[in-house]
Amino acid sequence: MPVKNGSQYVERINSSLPDVRIAGERLTGAISEHQAFKGVMATQAAMYDMQHDERWQASLCYSSPLSSEPVGLSFLQPKTKRDLAARRKMMQVWAEAHHGFLGRAPDYMNTAVMAFAAAARLLEEDNPQFAENLQHYYEYCRENDITLSHVFIQPKAARFPPSLARLIEEPAAARVTDKNKDGIVVCGAFLMDTQGVTSDEIFVYPAPFFSESSQDSPYAFAFAVPSRHPGVRFVCRESFVGGDSAYNYPLSSRYDEMDTLVIFDHALIPWNRVFICGNESMLSRLFDGSHFHTHAGMQIMCKNIAKTEFVLGTLEMLIETSGLQGYGQIVEKVTEVIVALETLKALQLAAEKGAALDRWGSMLPDRKPLLAANVYFPQIYPRLVEIVQLIGASSLIMIPDEKDFDTDLDDSLNLYLKGIGLNGKANVQLSRLAWDLSVSAFGGRQTVYERFFFGNVHTVSSRLYNGYEHGRELLMKRVQHFLS
């Protein structure tokens, strides 16, 4: 089928009926009706509707090489710089639709599964069937516009080294407990599956484990299954949706992506959905060889630019309605945001301009600017949030409820809480936006999420340092030549 629309997305998720636990209860009824999920589902439904809107379809879709039907452009393996630019424009359109607040918008995993499938020939060394499985799965996702979530990380208890793991009676690491003619049996848990409940399928790819042998390791596997798959259970964190009111909770009511712990309880994974099994070295080789971080980095860059633009727009409104334009310390703070925005745009441009074909025939962006951005944005985003707090000040605290303006205090509130060009109700609405961005539970989760988006500071720094090896060597030789 061609690209789906919003109602088809909602209908698919509602009909899937996965095993979801939230606030101590098992979720029953339509997922799209539950307060924790309906906002983000409505947002993504609107994004899928854009694929059928004549204003956007040419920017969001391309013709399937199998059916000639329109399919999502984020599934496209870019083979030219023109393809790369088209993918970037598509991702910008969706990023601006959610203003960068969806860390796991559908185009993220569309890009990931494309990258893995492009490098599927690597798997032929291990098992030709696994390579074929991955390529077929990519085509299945593309042709059916599958919404994917993913898990890479296991709970801390699962990451103990072997010397400590032996002290634990029941191993916590996810593992293959059996193999039979039908598939592999998997037990264990993963975090964090962002949007697992609001996606069609889940792509499971654990990081390499502390195995004593890479030969037939029970901890080495990769596969994908529907979210409703038997033996799969989702345990949700507390919802950060404050309420249904878009006035009171302008961001969380639209963009709160639920994070879940995913438990595999003797889940039987069919062989045709298995991509790696037992070969631990292949986990690293496919991850690195597919250039996952580079391809996904372009999608992330679009998200981060849109998010920074939204922060800047919010700050400008706060400044204008408070009459703070002439204050030097205010201007100084806002220029930090402008510098961040222009830095991200420059890194994006450099990555695209420096693109070159890789061994799989993909037009691969220059990874160095993207790796630099992966280090830079987690560092700068908490500062952007702090600037919102510093400029918003007391207006982030004195935020009456929308219902207060429907009482006999309406005239007083509009008088005493007004801003320049805004009555009290409109000014409080702006303050509530800044609060949801920088103070609320939703805003706090966004800040922590950005800090660890592509790994902790050591991981992303090491990735950049090691990825810059050639450049470092050239510069060192230049200095050595100078000294000689």
Side-chain angles (χ1 to χ4, degrees):
M1 64 174 289
V3 287
K4 64 189 174 190
N5 59 32
S7 62
Q8 290 170 326
Y9 162 67
V10 172
E11 182 181 354
R12 275 198 208 172
I13 301 303
N14 283 341
S15 62
S16 68
L17 299 177
D19 185 344
V20 180
R21 312 300 172 94
I22 181 167
E25 298 180 354
R26 181 165 180 170
L27 188 150
T28 58
I31 295 175
S32 65
E33 300 289 322
H34 193 285
Q35 182 174 297
F37 308 106
K38 65 181 178 181
V40 71
M41 285 189 65
T43 296
Q44 291 195 153
M47 291 163 60
Y48 280 120
D49 278 337
M50 293 171 72
Q51 297 183 136
H52 292 265
D53 190 321
E54 61 182 15
R55 293 173 297 173
W56 303 111
Q57 190 172 58
S59 298
L60 298 178
C61 305
Y62 76 108
S63 295
S64 163
L66 294 182
S67 68
S68 297
E69 295 272 16
V71 292
L73 191 54
S74 50
F75 285 109
L76 174 70
Q77 179 187 2
K79 297 186 177 180
T80 65
K81 287 193 175 183
R82 185 175 181 179
D83 288 345
L84 204 60
R87 280 177 53 89
R88 187 247 307 151
K89 290 175 184 176
M90 175 270 153
M91 292 167 181
Q92 285 177 325
V93 169
W94 263 9
E96 290 171 7
H98 60 77
H99 301 292
F101 290 104
L102 297 189
R104 292 295 181 261
D107 49 329
Y108 177 83
M109 278 307 294
N110 294 356
T111 299
V113 76
M114 176 278 296
F116 291 138
R121 289 204 307 273
L122 267 176
L123 300 179
E124 292 178 352
E125 302 173 23
D126 183 27
N127 186 322
Q129 186 61 51
F130 291 163
E132 188 175 326
N133 289 350
L134 183 53
Q135 184 62 40
H136 285 168
Y137 185 70
Y138 159 67
E139 293 174 356
Y140 164 74
C141 291
R142 182 190 66 202
E143 299 302 313
N144 293 279
D145 209 1
I146 296 298
T147 305
L148 270 170
S149 71
H150 78 287
V151 287
F152 294 157
I153 306 300
Q154 299 190 56
K156 289 182 180 179
R159 288 175 266 161
F160 293 141
S163 58
L164 293 179
R166 293 190 187 97
L167 303 176
I168 303 173
E169 282 189 26
E170 179 70 21
R175 61 205 182 280
V176 175
T177 60
D178 190 24
K179 301 176 189 176
N180 56 46
K181 64 181 179 61
D182 298 316
I184 62 175
V185 178
V186 175
C187 292
F190 291 89
L191 53 81
M192 302 168 4
D193 187 10
T194 301
Q195 287 221 50
V197 178
T198 50
S199 297
D200 295 314
E201 302 224 354
I202 176 173
F203 196 100
V204 180
Y205 197 131
F209 193 70
F210 297 100
S211 176
E212 296 177 348
S213 171
S214 62
Q215 300 301 316
D216 201 23
S217 168
Y219 306 110
F221 52 84
F223 62 84
V225 289
S227 300
R228 67 176 184 275
H229 194 72
V232 179
R233 183 176 302 132
F234 298 89
V235 182
C236 301
R237 61 154 166 82
E238 176 185 355
S239 173
F240 296 149
V241 178
D244 293 336
S245 170
Y247 178 98
N248 286 337
Y249 310 101
L251 298 179
S252 71
S253 65
R254 295 175 172 93
Y255 306 127
D256 185 33
E257 300 177 289
M258 177 57 72
D259 307 300
T260 62
L261 174 74
V262 186
I263 299 174
F264 288 84
D265 185 7
H266 297 89
L268 176 63
I269 314 301
W271 281 116
N272 67 343
R273 288 299 195 92
V274 177
F275 314 130
I276 295 174
C277 184
N279 191 334
E280 187 168 296
S281 66
M282 189 58 72
L283 286 174
S284 298
R285 290 180 62 195
L286 180 61
F287 214 80
D288 295 338
S290 68
H291 305 293
F292 161 78
H293 287 105
T294 305
H295 285 295
M298 287 296 282
Q299 189 271 347
I300 294 165
M301 189 72 83
C302 293
K303 171 192 76 71
N304 292 347
I305 288 172
K307 199 169 194 176
T308 307
E309 289 175 335
F310 191 86
V311 171
L312 181 57
T314 302
L315 287 170
E316 281 299 301
M317 286 193 68
L318 288 171
I319 292 167
E320 183 173 303
T321 59
S322 301
L324 298 174
Q325 299 95 322
Y327 291 86
Q329 70 271 28
I330 298 296
V331 172
E332 185 179 7
K333 290 180 176 63
V334 176
T335 56
E336 289 186 55
V337 185
I338 296 173
V339 168
L341 177 58
E342 292 304 317
T343 298
L344 293 171
K345 288 181 177 179
L347 290 170
Q348 181 187 57
L349 180 63
E352 191 170 308
K353 188 166 181 62
L357 286 173
D358 68 4
R359 62 185 289 199
W360 314 117
S362 296
M363 183 58 66
L364 188 70
D366 186 346
R367 66 175 179 168
K368 295 187 295 296
L370 295 175
L371 292 175
N374 292 341
V375 173
Y376 175 68
F377 193 72
Q379 295 174 348
I380 197 63
Y381 186 72
R383 174 57 179 166
L384 304 186
V385 169
E386 182 184 33
I387 291 171
V388 175
Q389 294 173 344
L390 293 172
I391 292 178
S394 60
S395 64
L396 305 183
I397 300 173
M398 193 54 251
I399 45 173
D401 192 281
E402 181 179 25
K403 294 178 181 178
D404 289 316
F405 289 92
D406 295 329
T407 69
D408 59 345
L409 291 175
D410 178 48
D411 290 341
S412 295
L413 294 176
N414 274 305
L415 173 63
Y416 297 124
L417 297 178
K418 66 183 178 181
I420 297 173
L422 295 177
N423 64 18
K425 186 173 184 179
N427 195 40
V428 168
Q429 183 181 31
L430 172 60
S431 295
R432 293 198 71 98
L433 170 61
W435 165 83
D436 216 6
L437 176 61
S438 65
V439 179
S440 71
F442 171 85
R445 182 264 184 194
Q446 288 279 322
T447 303
V448 174
Y449 199 77
E450 295 296 0
R451 283 186 185 274
F452 297 98
F453 193 98
F454 249 175
N456 60 42
V457 63
H458 170 75
T459 299
V460 295
S461 296
S462 297
R463 198 176 290 139
L464 172 60
Y465 184 78
N466 294 329
Y468 214 80
E469 181 179 9
H470 182 62
R472 290 186 288 111
E473 288 179 354
L474 287 176
L475 296 176
M476 183 174 65
K477 289 178 180 178
R478 185 184 299 176
V479 173
Q480 288 172 339
H481 178 72
F482 169 79
L483 291 173
S484 66

